[in-house]
Amino acid sequence: MERPLNRIVTLDEFIMRSQKEHSAATGELTGLLRDIGVAAKIVNREVNKAGLVNILGVDGAQNLSGDIVQKLDIYANDKLIECLQNSGECAGIASEEMQDILPFKPVVGKHPKYVVLFDPLDGSSNIDVNVSVGTIFSIFRRKSDETGPCNLEDFLQKGTEQVAAGYVLYGTSTILVYTTGEGVNGFTLDPSIGEFCLSHRDIKIPDRGIYYSVNQGYYLKFDLEMRRFIDQCSDMNLGLRYIGTMVSDIHRTLFSGGIFLYPNTRKYPNGKLRLLYECNPMSFIVEQAGGKAINTGLDRIMEINPEELHQRATIVAGSPDMVGEMIDFVRKYSAVSSV
Ligand code: P6P
């Protein structure tokens, strides 16, 4: 019998069906993705009532990005750890909120193959002004022996080695977007049934868009060729849209087209955003949707060899035609200015 087109497909069902299409799949990755879905629902519940239960309020500490840690950051971090520990499918995690990796205690009968990196609450400075925030995750197959604890090498892998990546955007609605390397799909949370339901199948980024997304406030601190490229965006009558939460800015770029940039500045000479749990997973998503993701040195983000857990990167990501034009512009400008 033909399946009705408007039938609800939950995240769990979609993941299980995807697993069945791969004979080699053993269900561990399926379990991992479902654990992340559960954590996202729990975090969503708290994000949506943050202003009501006084979970706001600065915890005082600073995280590794120098952001003042909000209690919701810690809450999201702890919930992700709790959910990922339960199933025994994850050997350990790395988080923006934690200096070092956290190897998990073994679960009887389990030999976990995967490690997960995440930014538990990206854009947390926007929480108490009710602007959208997100969770970003990146999954690698570990390189160390599955019978022992995971180690740092399991996490310091190029973006091209990612097994899966995704994000949750806690916005006007809550959407989970992920890829396992075979396209990008989006699932919107239906609070009435507490399920993420397939809402955006096989997402493709438009070849170009009408927006560019950069913190214009740093314009004078960007390198000259970056400033000239931003001038060109303005000359082309592109609109400027910048939310200040990477997940939100990339999500809009994915759906509407456009180009997102976080170049190097004096304050962040290597860029502000973190390679392993911000740039790599978001680049995997953008590329799988047909876009491009490079750094301001024009290197493909996912080809960068990481040297440390919290290393930063510059990033230019978005519609393929627009990133291509930026590459041509920088090459031409650098050639001229090097004469
Ligand atoms: P700026 C949020 O703090 C974040 O890590 C990303 O989500 C966002 O893209 C960026 O920093 C915003 O940084 O310097 O423009 O405020």
Side-chain angles (χ1 to χ4, degrees):
M1 182 182 86
E2 272 300 298
R3 184 179 286 131
L5 286 179
N6 61 355
R7 190 176 78 81
I8 286 179
V9 177
T10 65
L11 174 64
D12 281 9
E13 183 182 349
F14 187 89
I15 294 171
M16 293 294 287
R17 205 191 302 160
S18 306
Q19 176 197 314
K20 289 198 181 86
E21 286 160 10
H22 295 82
S23 53
T26 56
E28 281 115 321
L29 182 61
T30 297
L32 212 47
L33 289 168
R34 292 170 70 177
D35 293 343
I36 291 172
V38 171
K41 284 189 253 185
I42 296 170
V43 172
N44 175 68
R45 182 186 62 201
E46 295 310 314
V47 166
N48 281 345
K49 61 183 183 182
L52 301 176
V53 294
N54 191 28
I55 198 166
L56 288 177
V58 163
D59 222 349
Q62 279 200 341
N63 70 14
L64 293 149
S65 294
D67 296 331
I68 299 292
V69 176
Q70 306 260 1
K71 290 177 185 171
L72 215 45
D73 281 356
I74 298 300
Y75 180 86
N77 190 63
D78 294 352
K79 286 304 161 195
L80 274 158
I81 291 171
E82 199 179 301
C83 291
L84 287 167
Q85 257 172 338
N86 288 344
S87 69
E89 308 301 0
C90 177
I93 63 101
S95 167
E96 178 177 53
E97 299 303 335
M98 298 163 65
Q99 177 68 35
D100 300 315
I101 66 168
L102 176 65
F104 286 164
K105 292 187 182 59
V107 172
V108 175
K110 291 278 189 182
H111 298 297
K113 292 183 189 154
Y114 300 104
V115 293
V116 182
L117 300 98
F118 51 74
D119 181 355
L121 212 63
D122 173 57
S124 49
S125 55
N126 281 325
I127 296 168
D128 48 2
V129 290
N130 210 20
V131 170
S132 52
V133 294
T135 295
I136 310 174
F137 63 89
S138 171
I139 302 176
F140 286 112
R141 191 182 173 103
R142 65 188 295 188
K143 295 159 76 173
S144 55
D145 184 296
E146 292 172 10
T147 57
C150 62
N151 60 40
L152 185 58
E153 294 319 302
D154 291 325
F155 296 85
L156 296 182
Q157 299 189 53
K158 289 199 308 189
T160 49
E161 299 303 307
Q162 290 175 104
V163 172
Y167 62 82
V168 184
L169 176 57
Y170 310 102
T172 44
S173 61
T174 296
I175 184 168
L176 185 150
V177 175
Y178 86 95
T179 182
T180 57
E182 295 177 348
V184 180
N185 292 282
F187 301 80
T188 300
L189 183 63
D190 179 341
S192 68
I193 58 173
E195 290 286 0
F196 280 107
C197 301
L198 182 61
S199 52
H200 300 83
R201 188 190 290 270
D202 195 21
I203 299 166
K204 291 297 175 203
I205 189 169
D207 289 340
R208 63 176 52 253
I210 58 172
Y211 299 129
Y212 71 105
S213 184
V214 68
N215 188 330
Q216 194 81 19
Y218 301 153
Y219 176 83
L220 293 176
K221 300 168 180 71
F222 293 147
D223 293 344
L224 191 52
E225 73 266 25
M226 226 16 78
R227 277 184 265 149
R228 291 297 169 260
F229 177 72
I230 289 167
D231 292 343
Q232 178 170 291
C233 290
S234 188
D235 292 344
M236 289 162 60
N237 295 317
L238 294 179
L240 173 61
R241 290 287 187 281
Y242 192 74
I243 298 167
T245 295
M246 184 189 197
V247 171
S248 310
D249 284 316
I250 295 278
H251 182 77
R252 182 202 53 251
T253 302
L254 201 62
F255 280 71
S256 308
I259 187 168
F260 170 81
L261 309 97
Y262 205 116
N264 48 294
T265 62
R266 274 187 228 122
K267 182 179 178 185
Y268 296 113
N270 297 314
K272 174 186 181 185
L273 301 175
R274 304 291 184 168
L275 174 63
L276 286 175
Y277 42 78
E278 290 178 323
C279 296
N280 266 343
M282 298 312 273
S283 297
F284 193 15
I285 291 272
V286 168
E287 287 198 2
Q288 280 292 308
K292 290 180 190 282
I294 58 172
N295 63 14
T296 50
L298 309 185
D299 307 312
R300 185 184 175 206
I301 289 284
M302 295 210 294
E303 288 290 353
I304 297 173
N305 265 311
E307 288 161 13
E308 55 174 37
L309 201 55
H310 299 285
Q311 82 180 58
R312 300 177 190 271
T314 60
I315 183 167
V316 178
S319 294
D321 291 2
M322 298 176 82
V323 176
E325 284 156 12
M326 178 264 179
I327 293 170
D328 296 343
F329 182 91
V330 169
R331 282 190 179 138
K332 192 164 46 180
Y333 199 91
S334 306
V336 166
S337 56
S338 63
V339 169

